[in-house]
Amino acid sequence: MKKLFNLIWKEFIYGGHSQCLGAVGIVYISSFLLDIKVDSGILLATYLIFYPIYINDRFKWIQLDRLTNPERTKHFETYLSLMPKLILLSILFLLILLIYIGNFKFSIFALLLLIFGLLYPLYFKNLTKQIIAFKDFYVAMFFTAIAAASVIYYSYPLSTLMTVSLVGLMLLVFLKTVLMQILLDCKDIESDKSLGLLTIPLLIGKEKTLSFLKISNASITTLILLIAVFFRLFPIRMLILLFTIPFNFYSYNLTQKGNYFGYLLGSGEFLFWLILVLFFKIIAL
């Protein structure tokens, strides 16, 4: 029983599930902001868009990953031969779900995200050799786009104020994702160096990067949330996201001490968003 639990835990933290649930969290919090009721279809579809993208990226770079992520690599090697089948199976499940849902606009949106996500390790990641931190901005675009998923899914009519509110949330998601990816670049310094990628930690060093992240994350989160609430773009309940600041500081401090769990926490920030919103809904009942 203990071995089974340990295997499940490793799969959750190494298998990309927290990131996929984080994408679900963005959809949920976007709906929370716009007061749109979501169903299980859009949430499951969101998970299935991101899962094959993540597994495909890990499978593509499994050999290089040994340099900076030996534990994660060791876990994936337990079912390495099955990874291509998992990618295909998850894509098949997504296609079946999209057909079942029968939403043409959302299906196009989902498939575009999937295609460009699968192309990331094959082509777009290498553009970071010419453009500083390109891969961080590229990944951030995916999480930003998914914030609009519920609007597309339900063909939800947005007023001018709601449109500006959604743009404000997308800006927050974009910037937070960029900072998250820069944190993860600290973990991948050796592998990124071998690939010749121009990442922030490689250019200014790990310590300066973590100092930059601490200042930037707290400033960006506080400013966007307070300004948006002040101008009534966000309801006051969105201030619950201010609790992400101590969460971020904790992950940065762990990382600074060389604790790998700091990276795992940092990569799961949007899952923490989901937990915060669900907690708020429970106490608000």
Side-chain angles (χ1 to χ4, degrees):
M1 191 67 180
K2 186 177 179 181
K3 287 184 178 180
L4 178 61
F5 179 79
N6 188 46
L7 180 64
I8 292 172
W9 172 245
K10 284 185 176 181
E11 174 59 23
F12 179 75
I13 61 174
Y14 294 134
H17 302 286
S18 63
Q19 288 90 339
C20 296
L21 287 173
V24 171
I26 293 173
V27 173
Y28 196 84
I29 203 164
S30 172
S31 304
F32 178 72
L33 168 66
L34 300 173
D35 202 22
I36 301 173
K37 291 184 178 179
V38 294
D39 59 43
S40 58
I42 185 175
L43 301 179
L44 181 57
T46 300
Y47 188 95
L48 290 173
I49 292 168
F50 278 79
Y51 182 71
I53 292 173
Y54 184 87
I55 293 297
N56 181 58
D57 184 61
R58 295 280 66 83
F59 183 68
K60 167 68 177 175
W61 301 108
I62 190 74
Q63 299 301 328
L64 197 60
D65 222 24
R66 284 191 176 91
L67 293 173
T68 51
N69 301 285
E71 285 298 317
R72 185 171 70 186
T73 302
K74 185 179 177 181
H75 173 72
F76 280 129
E77 284 178 337
T78 61
Y79 59 90
L80 186 60
S81 62
L82 294 176
M83 289 179 75
K85 295 177 183 177
L86 280 175
I87 295 167
L88 292 174
L89 194 61
S90 56
I91 292 173
L92 178 61
F93 282 155
L94 174 62
L95 293 175
I96 292 171
L97 179 62
L98 292 176
I99 292 170
Y100 175 76
I101 290 171
N103 187 319
F104 181 74
K105 287 183 181 179
F106 181 78
S107 295
I108 296 298
F109 171 76
L111 292 175
L112 283 174
L113 283 180
L114 177 65
I115 291 167
F116 280 98
L118 293 175
L119 288 174
Y120 166 71
L122 299 174
Y123 175 71
F124 292 105
K125 187 173 183 176
N126 286 326
L127 290 179
T128 313
K129 293 177 181 178
Q130 288 83 40
I131 305 170
I132 296 172
F134 178 82
K135 68 188 184 82
D136 301 332
F137 292 104
Y138 189 83
V139 172
M141 289 301 297
F142 279 81
F143 284 96
T144 304
I146 206 70
S150 57
V151 174
I152 296 169
Y153 186 87
Y154 295 103
S155 298
Y156 197 80
L158 295 180
S159 64
T160 302
L161 181 62
M162 292 174 75
T163 301
V164 177
S165 298
L166 180 59
V167 170
L169 177 64
M170 293 173 79
L171 176 63
L172 179 62
V173 169
F174 179 80
L175 294 174
K176 295 281 275 183
T177 307
V178 169
L179 296 178
M180 180 200 303
Q181 293 304 122
I182 292 174
L183 172 67
L184 296 179
D185 287 341
C186 290
K187 166 178 61 65
D188 297 328
I189 286 177
E190 291 303 318
S191 58
D192 287 344
K193 185 177 181 180
S194 68
L195 289 171
L197 302 183
L198 301 174
T199 65
I200 301 300
L202 270 172
L203 294 174
I204 68 174
K206 180 179 175 180
E207 290 303 317
K208 287 183 179 178
T209 298
L210 289 172
S211 297
F212 163 76
L213 289 174
K214 287 179 181 180
I215 296 169
S216 301
N217 215 322
S219 302
I220 287 170
T221 306
T222 304
L223 281 173
I224 291 180
L225 287 174
L226 292 182
I227 290 172
V229 168
F230 180 79
F231 286 102
R232 298 184 179 180
L233 300 175
F234 288 1
I236 196 168
R237 64 179 183 265
M238 290 290 286
L239 290 179
I240 195 170
L241 294 183
L242 287 173
F243 285 103
T244 60
I245 296 175
F247 174 87
N248 292 138
F249 268 85
Y250 182 59
S251 65
Y252 295 154
N253 287 335
L254 286 177
T255 302
Q256 210 156 20
K257 294 174 183 176
N259 191 329
Y260 187 82
F261 190 62
Y263 296 116
L264 295 175
L265 278 181
S267 65
E269 176 172 351
F270 294 125
L271 174 57
F272 184 60
W273 284 30
L274 177 60
I275 293 170
L276 282 174
V277 172
L278 291 175
F279 176 74
F280 176 85
K281 285 198 165 187
I282 290 171
I283 63 173
L285 289 176

